[in-house]
Amino acid sequence: MVRFFPKQRQLAVLVLGIATFAISGPSEADQLAELTRPIPGRPNRASSGLFDPESNRDAHHVRAGQRFLLADLEGPGEIRHLWFTIASRDRRYPRNLMLRVFYDGSQTPSVETPIGDFFAAGNGMRANVSTMPIEVSSYGRALNSYWRMPFGKRCQIEVHNQGPETMTVYFHCDWLKLDSIPDDIYYFHARYRQEYPAKPFSWYTIFEGEGEGHYVGTVFSSQNNLASWFGETDDRFYIDGEEVPSIVGTGTEDYFNDAWNLRLTSNLRVGTTICEPKGLERRITAYRWHIDDPIPFKRSLKVELERRSYVAVEDPKTGKMITYDFKYRPDDWSSVAFWYQRGIARILWSIPPAEARRLPEVWIEPSEMVDRARASEGMQPRRASNRTCNLKRYFYMRNDDIGSWVEFPVTIPNAGRYAVSVFQNLFKHHGVWKMTLQGTRSETIFSPGLDFWDYRLPQTENWPENFEHGTTLETKVGVHWIEPGDYWVRFECVGANPLTEHPETGAFGQGRSIGLDAICFRRLPIDDPYQWMQQYLEKEEALFAGYLAEATESVTILSRAVQQYHKDKGKYPDQLSDLAGTPYWSRDRIPLDPWQQPYHYRVPGIVHPWGFDLWSSHGCQRHPNGWIGNWKTPLSLLNESAEKDIVLEGEELHFVRASPGIKASPQPISTDNTAPSSNRKQLFIQLQKPGDRLDIGLPDSIPAGRYEVALFVITSWDYGICRWSFGGVPRTEPIDGHTQTIGMKSVPAGQVTLPEGTKILTVEAVGKSGYSTGYYAGLDAIVLRPVYSD
């Protein structure tokens, strides 16, 4: 399977900051500087060829099921370069041929991965790649690795043909025989894993390892099983056993250093080598090399991808797509982790067999069916040479007439949803052909007109080869429900692209021939996406209800423990972990909440300024209104205050006087990050400049007396620095109301004596920070706590 894109050649000086990547030379040297110094060691090559000048038999023929030892190197040494090219009737050989590398006589492979995935093309596909450690050309067929692979005593490289057909393997291994290697050397590792399909309500693990080393790369592949965008998933790195990851990303395309979707690229450090359009069964492969930014670990490392994103399914009643936001997707995910570590890593997960690493497929090989194909009168199908097609051959039928046709037999063994692809050979003489599936009682139109003219001819990625052989391209023709049975795939000429050329006369618009490499029916794992989604939603509702109940119960129990601690010790614990291993919480740790985040704790609290706040962020730290806390939700400070406290909601108060042009009005408000606002409303005060004031009248019904006061103010990006006063007497230091997002904070205003009759709260603009865009202020609420004396 071929993917084309312009190959970007770049000259770059890449500084390798870790000595183990290059044994010869200091760690701060770049690769060009390495060439200015003596390189230790004796160069050697292990290859599939022999010094045999009268023979061109330079490849190994690895039979189905065979493990084949390519190289057995006596150390100490270091591999500097691996090269492969492979030919096989098995079109999924990149997934079916397993590459393994063993060090120092160990029976445990340190490299174990399908060869295609190792070279940054997943799902059994092929792609050109242009990076520092991996270079692939020839439509994904010339595979080069420049990963440094040191070893002490011995290195063995093998391939294991786990496919159904013989594979012809051409191979080079360029390595240095060394006198010694450093005692603290790190060995290169790479290992494949997959989840087909990805488990719902869980995260995908790319890597988990033990020991000391550093993580240096990821190749990630996905096959959509439902429509829409899969890539809102965040990357997470758990270093040395931490429960909460210290490295957290913002989305799949962000981890691969792209933005707003993925697109075909191949750069030194990051790229997307396979990137199909969004659809029901989109396939992608992306890579990221952590060469400049390796992830060191001393004891262990775990690397995960979150799995929630958008989902779209078709409503069978209306035919319209229904989109769901941030759901767990059931896509087929696979990956290869690349890392260096001290010694030989212990295997912590198994690799599925070959048949589980690919979807079931039915292939039509037209070049092998010339004698079985049916064609219209006068047509002469033939097999011809073509270096861009599989095994350098393809099906060709010379044609000048509209209405000419050719048919190929195919048997579909099982009913199901099939993604159908045709591997076109595009050429300047080829026409436009209608493609259908003919059954005994049905006809399915795959495409009303496939254009076989080579629109890629002016492009340079395969020039000048495509001038002679054309361009081979996989074209998807939809997802179709197909019942089991015998069928014919029919191509009928319906016209010609105006830019085609007649092969003899050269006349434009007269090229109507056809070239075919293959046709594929790929069985998709979900037969009814709509039904699957309904079952998923039921499970999600039950699961999240359990999460909610668990978090609510835990917050209640932990809050009781904090209260008892305060009762016994006369103070609140400084942090929640102070409870662990005590009579208040006998377990040795505070658990994470059901969303695998810590329970949060602060003292004094914002909601409870005379106490503490304790909450689960409900999986989303930026939406306080959804938090599960030691307060009633939605938050109303009236519910959180003591029996004799007086709670005044800001939006219910009225101003009695103000500086000229100053306004105040109730406003709905939704806070972010800090704490929920009371009743989700505030009194919005539009101060304009320093010195502006506004007097707020408090109800005359408040009894005269002395009160401990807490002001609950709103903060935002356009709020200024304000001072709050009672009866003209300042009761707070100037409060900077600027925050980058909307928040709420409580401010102690000390003790205030309120008189009989009129009671005034005044806010005055003092200034604004350099980050604020205005002088505004917001009052969420006031809590007055009576002070009693003897």
Side-chain angles (χ1 to χ4, degrees):
M1 190 168 297
V2 183
R3 280 292 176 270
F4 302 95
F5 49 88
K7 196 164 187 183
Q8 300 171 352
R9 295 287 183 184
Q10 301 181 31
L11 275 178
V13 176
L14 185 58
V15 177
L16 298 181
I18 299 177
T20 54
F21 285 179
I23 293 176
S24 58
S27 62
E28 69 274 11
D30 59 66
Q31 289 192 320
L32 293 177
E34 185 181 9
L35 301 179
T36 67
R37 296 172 177 82
I39 297 174
R42 174 179 170 77
N44 289 270
R45 171 175 288 175
S47 80
S48 56
L50 298 172
F51 182 61
D52 190 350
E54 297 301 321
S55 172
N56 193 36
R57 301 185 65 180
D58 292 329
H60 299 305
H61 299 282
V62 185
R63 272 61 180 180
Q66 184 179 8
R67 290 178 63 177
F68 196 98
L69 185 64
L70 296 173
D72 191 350
L73 313 178
E74 182 181 348
E78 181 185 70
I79 295 171
R80 291 292 185 101
H81 171 230
L82 296 175
W83 169 85
F84 294 87
T85 190
I86 300 160
S88 178
R89 190 178 181 277
D90 177 7
R91 289 179 177 267
R92 296 300 183 204
Y93 75 78
R95 264 288 163 88
N96 292 333
L97 185 65
M98 188 68 68
L99 172 66
R100 299 191 184 103
V101 178
F102 301 84
Y103 299 126
D104 297 348
S106 173
Q107 298 301 304
T108 300
S110 293
V111 173
E112 187 172 24
T113 169
I115 199 164
D117 297 81
F118 182 88
F119 287 95
N123 299 321
M125 302 169 74
R126 303 200 312 260
N128 288 350
V129 185
S130 182
T131 79
M132 182 177 179
I134 296 294
E135 285 275 357
V136 181
S137 58
S138 184
Y139 324 116
R141 299 178 298 192
L143 311 172
N144 292 273
S145 166
Y146 293 93
W147 290 109
R148 300 288 178 88
M149 303 183 188
F151 54 95
K153 299 177 181 178
R154 188 181 185 190
C155 180
Q156 294 171 298
I157 304 171
E158 72 169 40
V159 288
H160 185 182
N161 182 354
Q162 298 178 339
E165 304 283 348
T166 295
M167 299 185 191
T168 300
V169 179
Y170 293 83
F171 166 73
H172 292 172
C173 172
D174 296 308
W175 65 289
L176 290 175
K177 181 74 165 70
L178 302 171
D179 293 332
S180 64
I181 60 173
D183 294 337
D184 61 351
I185 199 72
Y186 283 177
Y187 281 16
F188 174 81
H189 292 74
R191 190 163 181 81
Y192 172 89
R193 77 182 304 153
Q194 71 175 45
E195 283 185 13
Y196 277 21
K199 299 173 185 175
F201 313 114
S202 66
W203 298 329
Y204 176 76
T205 301
I206 292 175
F207 172 74
E208 50 189 338
E210 300 172 345
E212 176 188 327
H214 38 249
Y215 189 81
V216 296
T218 303
V219 169
F220 169 78
S221 299
S222 174
Q223 300 182 92
N224 275 13
N225 286 328
L226 295 176
S228 196
W229 168 241
F230 74 95
E232 294 305 312
T233 57
D234 300 344
D235 56 293
R236 300 170 179 180
F237 288 76
Y238 301 79
I239 300 170
D240 293 338
E242 60 190 2
E243 276 192 310
V244 179
S246 55
I247 298 175
V248 179
T250 56
T252 308
E253 77 268 46
D254 308 332
Y255 171 66
F256 293 106
N257 292 179
D258 212 331
W260 309 105
N261 205 347
L262 292 166
R263 53 208 44 84
L264 280 178
T265 56
S266 188
N267 300 309
L268 289 181
R269 299 163 182 82
V270 292
T272 305
T273 60
I274 296 167
C275 192
E276 295 182 329
K278 290 182 180 179
L280 292 172
E281 36 75 58
R282 180 190 200 189
R283 294 170 293 185
I284 70 101
T285 295
Y287 64 86
R288 177 174 176 181
W289 309 133
H290 293 267
I291 294 176
D292 300 280
D293 58 339
I295 311 297
F297 54 94
K298 296 298 183 184
R299 292 183 286 111
S300 65
L301 179 68
K302 188 173 186 178
V303 183
E304 293 180 334
L305 274 183
E306 190 185 20
R307 210 191 309 277
R308 295 174 74 181
S309 193
Y310 297 101
V311 178
V313 297
E314 181 180 323
D315 186 333
K317 295 181 180 178
T318 65
K320 296 181 178 180
M321 297 298 287
I322 306 172
T323 300
Y324 299 88
D325 184 9
F326 220 54
K327 302 299 181 184
Y328 287 92
R329 293 184 54 92
D331 300 325
D332 290 351
W333 278 11
S334 55
S335 57
V336 178
F338 297 78
W339 77 101
Y340 285 85
Q341 80 169 67
R342 190 184 305 279
I344 296 168
R346 185 166 67 93
I347 291 178
L348 297 180
W349 68 90
S350 60
I351 296 178
E355 59 269 19
R357 299 196 299 265
R358 59 184 188 265
L359 296 182
E361 292 176 311
V362 176
W363 287 89
I364 298 175
E365 297 287 352
S367 64
E368 298 178 5
M369 303 175 71
V370 171
D371 296 334
R372 296 173 57 197
R374 302 190 305 200
S376 56
E377 186 176 355
M379 293 297 99
Q380 296 181 347
R382 65 186 180 90
R383 181 166 62 183
S385 174
N386 189 305
R387 287 186 174 272
T388 71
C389 295
N390 195 50
L391 297 178
K392 300 186 293 183
R393 61 193 186 192
Y394 80 127
F395 174 93
Y396 174 69
M397 192 170 78
R398 171 77 169 76
N399 174 56
D400 287 336
D401 300 321
I402 293 175
S404 299
W405 54 269
V406 62
E407 294 179 338
F408 304 96
V410 64
T411 298
I412 303 297
N414 300 298
R417 293 168 65 243
Y418 287 84
V420 183
S421 294
V422 55
F423 292 75
Q424 299 175 268
N425 178 250
L426 309 179
F427 197 58
K428 58 186 177 180
H429 300 157
H430 293 171
V432 179
W433 293 73
K434 178 182 178 181
M435 182 182 179
T436 57
L437 182 68
Q438 306 278 344
T440 55
R441 295 185 300 274
S442 65
E443 177 184 271
T444 301
I445 298 176
F446 287 160
S447 174
L450 282 171
D451 193 345
F452 282 75
W453 173 69
D454 192 358
Y455 66 93
R456 295 190 172 213
L457 186 63
Q459 300 180 23
T460 59
E461 72 263 27
N462 55 345
W463 178 267
E465 196 164 42
N466 60 348
F467 187 83
E468 179 181 355
H469 298 286
T471 301
T472 299
L473 179 73
E474 177 183 2
T475 302
K476 291 182 172 181
V477 290
V479 174
H480 305 271
W481 181 270
I482 305 178
E483 295 291 338
D486 296 327
Y487 296 87
W488 292 85
V489 176
R490 179 185 179 96
F491 292 88
E492 179 182 350
C493 183
V494 295
N497 189 299
L499 297 176
T500 58
E501 302 174 27
H502 191 278
E504 281 85 33
T505 68
F508 284 112
Q510 299 298 311
R512 299 192 179 102
S513 300
I514 188 172
L516 289 168
D517 185 25
I519 304 159
C520 177
F521 295 78
R522 185 160 51 96
R523 171 75 186 277
L524 302 181
I526 296 179
D527 286 339
D528 189 337
Y530 181 82
Q531 183 63 32
W532 184 94
M533 195 68 206
Q534 303 317 302
Q535 294 173 354
Y536 164 84
L537 292 173
E538 291 179 6
K539 295 176 183 177
E540 182 188 68
E541 183 179 7
L543 179 70
F544 286 3
Y547 283 2
L548 182 64
E550 178 186 339
T552 301
E553 181 182 16
S554 295
V555 166
T556 300
I557 294 173
L558 285 167
S559 295
R560 288 175 185 162
V562 172
Q563 292 285 19
Q564 189 61 46
Y565 184 104
H566 178 264
K567 180 179 179 181
D568 291 348
K569 297 183 178 292
K571 66 172 186 176
Y572 291 108
D574 294 329
Q575 51 195 9
L576 207 55
S577 59
D578 291 347
L579 298 175
T582 70
Y584 312 102
W585 189 267
S586 59
R587 284 175 277 176
D588 61 359
R589 55 181 289 275
I590 305 297
L592 300 179
D593 72 7
W595 295 272
Q596 299 303 299
Q597 294 180 315
Y599 286 98
H600 302 272
Y601 171 79
R602 59 190 168 208
V603 59
I606 295 178
V607 175
H608 302 105
W610 293 297
F612 67 95
D613 296 344
L614 196 155
W615 72 98
S616 161
S617 60
H618 199 167
C620 191
Q621 297 183 32
R622 290 181 174 168
H623 287 81
N625 289 332
W627 292 352
I628 303 163
N630 59 336
W631 56 78
K632 292 183 180 178
T633 301
L635 175 67
S636 172
L637 287 171
L638 185 63
N639 296 328
E640 306 306 319
S641 301
E643 182 179 353
K644 294 187 178 182
D645 288 353
I646 298 172
V647 179
L648 306 173
E649 291 289 345
E651 67 273 7
E652 296 175 359
L653 301 176
H654 302 279
F655 70 93
V656 296
R657 68 182 65 85
S659 298
I662 303 307
K663 298 178 181 179
S665 59
Q667 181 190 62
I669 200 74
S670 179
T671 54
D672 190 35
N673 290 322
T674 56
S677 58
S678 184
N679 290 345
R680 302 185 186 178
K681 296 178 182 178
Q682 69 159 339
L683 181 66
F684 178 45
I685 305 165
Q686 295 175 285
L687 304 172
Q688 300 295 322
K689 62 183 182 304
D692 282 349
R693 297 162 56 92
L694 183 133
D695 292 342
I696 302 168
L698 305 185
D700 292 343
S701 59
I702 298 175
R706 193 157 185 81
Y707 295 89
E708 188 78 26
V709 180
L711 295 175
F712 293 79
V713 299
I714 299 298
T715 64
S716 187
W717 58 86
D718 52 0
Y719 284 23
I721 301 171
C722 298
R723 182 184 291 110
W724 297 81
S725 306
F726 279 92
V729 179
R731 291 298 178 179
T732 67
E733 295 295 324
I735 300 169
D736 188 351
H738 172 265
T739 49
Q740 295 187 123
T741 56
I742 300 173
M744 190 270 274
K745 65 181 177 181
S746 54
V747 180
Q751 292 189 3
V752 174
T753 300
L754 297 181
E756 296 283 357
T758 303
K759 306 170 183 66
I760 298 296
L761 172 66
T762 302
V763 57
E764 177 185 3
V766 175
K768 68 182 181 70
S769 77
Y771 290 95
S772 178
T773 61
Y775 295 89
Y776 299 152
L779 179 62
D780 187 17
I782 308 168
V783 175
L784 305 174
R785 174 161 292 181
V787 177
Y788 301 98
S789 63
D790 294 338

